[in-house]
Amino acid sequence: MDALEFNGTISAIRGSVVDATFDGKIPPLRSVLKTGLHQKIVLEVADHISTNKVRCIALTPTAGLARSDIVSGDGTTLMAPIGDGLTGRLFNVFGNASDGRSEPQNVTYQSIHTPPIQLADRITNEEIFETGIKAIDLLAPLEKGGKAGLFGGAGVGKTVLITELINNMVSSHKGVSIFCGIGERCREGEELYRDMKDAGVLDNTVMIFGQMNEPPGARFRVGHTALTMAEYFRDQKEQDVLLLVDNVFRFIQAGMELSGLLGRLPSRMGYQPTLGPELAEFQERIASTTRGAITSIQAVYVPADDLTDPSATHTFSHLSASIVLSRKRAGEGFYPAVDLLQSKSMMLSPEVVGQNHYDVAREVQRALAIYEELKDIIAMLGLEELSNEDRKIVYQARRLERFLTQPFHTTKHFTGMNGRTVPLAATVEGCARILNNEFASINEASLYMIGDTDELEEINS
């Protein structure tokens, strides 16, 4: 298309929604228009209202915009940079550098709206993605090339867990890591950038942020910018990609804000009627091929700790592993606050993890489930009223709960405790030894916030 093929004027402005009228043909859906002083305000066409009128969402603040202002575009969509100059840099939704350095070199630009790869080109992987976090590796192992979600309400440790996963995996991960912050606090983004720089892993990482203070249009599209970069490394560089997203709920929330502004009727609990297709369009682009894999770990805020909320239930359906964080466990001091009974993974089968790991994980879940059922009886009648068999299971479960805690590297400046990264084999062995009552004579508090059981033997030797 010729440059500036579409020229029109603004006819209405309602916050982040702008209507524009054109004399000739109207620009296609999802194309970008520019307006305002020095064409600095960027709009994306969301609806065709009539034969000469379009409704747009603003990707930048609309302050200073007025009716009759000129709006123009060339019919192209929002573009994301791709190329060797991306690593070690921090970008916004437009692909502009936000780290105070010059714009990246050796990059080309590609539309952020690309279809997911064909089903015939996808591969499924039966390889475990080890994290070094005991509770996750044992009970909800992650799939290499799969999608995992961290579900939890406010303040239960989603972002802390994501940063610990970055710390544990980016240094050992052979491919490229991409961190996408959707609706992040400005402080969190700045701290994460500084921490990764200090840890020496920034050179193999790309960071993209659409922060909390940005318009909903920018927050809604920043995930697609990150996916376009991830697809470049997977398809053209043939590398494995670790994609970390914090937070998928903010992507859904931005879509909800835009839906209301565009005048669409809300669906259940006020969410946008297009929630399912919008989330599917985002999630289906995260896939593995013979050339490379995109492994995604996504934090998902759960409103009011309600896992039946539409935002959570729609997200569950796309994931191969769901790690649920529990406010109750956080309140009891068990960190990471992983709900050991609600967290699950499709990878937890004998064919994938091996019979020994599977059997130990099932026995751990059985002991914890029985303990959960007996808690009311213990609270009313006391531990003494239980049968010897039940009492033995309770002692095992309490030791397992404490063993599946561990200090994090990224929280050392808060806790004063050195972080632990525990190999999967050591986690399985430690739980098997607890189930075999090897530590029955040791105080259960000794198992709290340690790495593997070798530490326990060192303490007691």
Side-chain angles (χ1 to χ4, degrees), residues 117-387:
I117 56 172
Q118 295 295 316
L119 203 57
D121 297 327
R122 299 182 183 216
I123 59 165
T124 52
N125 214 325
E126 292 194 345
E127 190 180 335
I128 294 299
F129 200 81
E130 220 176 296
T131 66
I133 297 170
K134 291 183 284 189
I136 294 174
D137 286 345
L138 180 73
L139 299 173
L142 307 188
E143 175 191 5
K144 185 182 178 186
K147 297 188 275 275
L150 303 175
F151 291 83
V156 293
K158 294 183 301 300
T159 300
V160 170
L161 198 49
I162 280 268
T163 53
E164 183 69 7
L165 287 165
I166 292 170
N167 180 80
N168 289 5
M169 294 189 292
V170 168
S171 51
S172 61
H173 183 61
K174 300 294 186 290
V176 173
S177 300
I178 296 179
F179 181 89
C180 176
I182 305 175
E184 283 280 278
R185 298 173 183 87
C186 303
R187 168 187 60 78
E188 288 175 346
E190 193 272 335
E191 283 176 2
L192 185 63
Y193 178 77
R194 192 153 27 88
D195 289 346
M196 294 184 80
K197 196 172 184 180
D198 293 343
V201 295
L202 190 62
D203 290 345
N204 219 27
T205 305
V206 186
M207 302 180 81
I208 308 103
F209 284 96
Q211 293 180 318
M212 206 175 257
N213 61 332
E214 295 186 42
R219 285 181 271 127
F220 189 63
R221 288 297 180 216
V222 72
H224 294 89
T225 301
L227 285 170
T228 305
M229 294 178 180
E231 288 166 341
Y232 160 75
F233 286 110
R234 180 194 65 195
D235 297 337
Q236 295 183 37
K237 302 294 285 184
E238 298 191 355
Q239 290 179 296
D240 287 342
V241 181
L242 176 61
L243 174 65
L244 300 127
V245 183
D246 190 6
N247 180 311
V248 170
F249 175 77
R250 303 292 175 206
F251 164 76
I252 294 169
Q253 191 178 45
M256 181 167 60
E257 290 176 47
L258 293 172
S259 180
L261 290 166
L262 290 167
R264 293 174 184 153
L265 284 172
S267 70
R268 192 159 69 92
M269 293 180 70
Y271 285 99
Q272 62 270 43
T274 51
L275 168 58
E278 284 171 2
L279 188 61
E281 182 187 23
F282 177 80
Q283 296 283 3
E284 286 304 304
R285 288 175 64 182
I286 303 169
S288 300
T289 69
T290 50
R291 293 186 296 274
I294 299 178
T295 303
S296 174
I297 300 169
Q298 310 168 13
V300 187
Y301 167 70
V302 180
D305 294 340
D306 178 15
L307 288 169
T308 63
D309 188 90
S311 63
T313 53
H314 275 84
T315 310
F316 270 125
S317 61
H318 293 279
L319 306 174
S320 59
S322 305
I323 298 149
V324 179
L325 300 179
S326 158
R327 190 172 303 281
K328 183 167 172 281
R329 281 182 61 79
E332 291 169 350
F334 294 123
Y335 292 103
V338 174
D339 190 314
L340 304 172
L341 293 173
Q342 286 206 59
S343 300
K344 58 184 184 294
S345 168
M346 293 178 186
M347 294 290 101
L348 192 59
S349 70
E351 295 79 19
V352 179
V353 298
Q355 193 66 48
N356 182 46
H357 178 166
Y358 178 78
D359 290 343
V360 170
R362 282 286 174 249
E363 279 299 306
V364 167
Q365 288 172 329
R366 177 180 162 274
L368 292 167
I370 292 170
Y371 177 41
E372 196 64 35
E373 288 171 10
L374 294 172
K375 276 183 177 175
D376 287 343
I377 296 171
I378 295 167
M380 287 187 290
L381 303 175
L383 201 58
E384 297 74 23
E385 296 301 314
L386 299 178
S387 67

Side-chain angles (χ1 to χ4, degrees), residues 396-416:
Q396 284 178 348
R398 288 177 63 85
R399 282 170 168 74
L400 287 165
E401 278 188 331
R402 282 149 183 79
F403 178 63
L404 291 173
T405 62
Q406 72 191 85
F408 281 174
H409 298 277
T410 51
T411 57
K412 185 185 174 184
H413 54 293
F414 295 121
T415 63

Side-chain angles (χ1 to χ4, degrees), residues 34-68:
K34 294 190 176 179
T35 184
L37 189 65
H38 307 304
Q39 302 286 283
K40 287 280 181 70
I41 296 171
V42 182
L43 313 173
E44 185 182 85
V45 179
D47 277 334
H48 287 166
I49 300 171
S50 66
T51 53
N52 68 338
K53 198 175 202 180
V54 299
R55 183 157 289 163
C56 310
I57 55 173
L59 304 178
T60 52
T62 54
L65 209 56
R67 283 187 295 178
S68 301

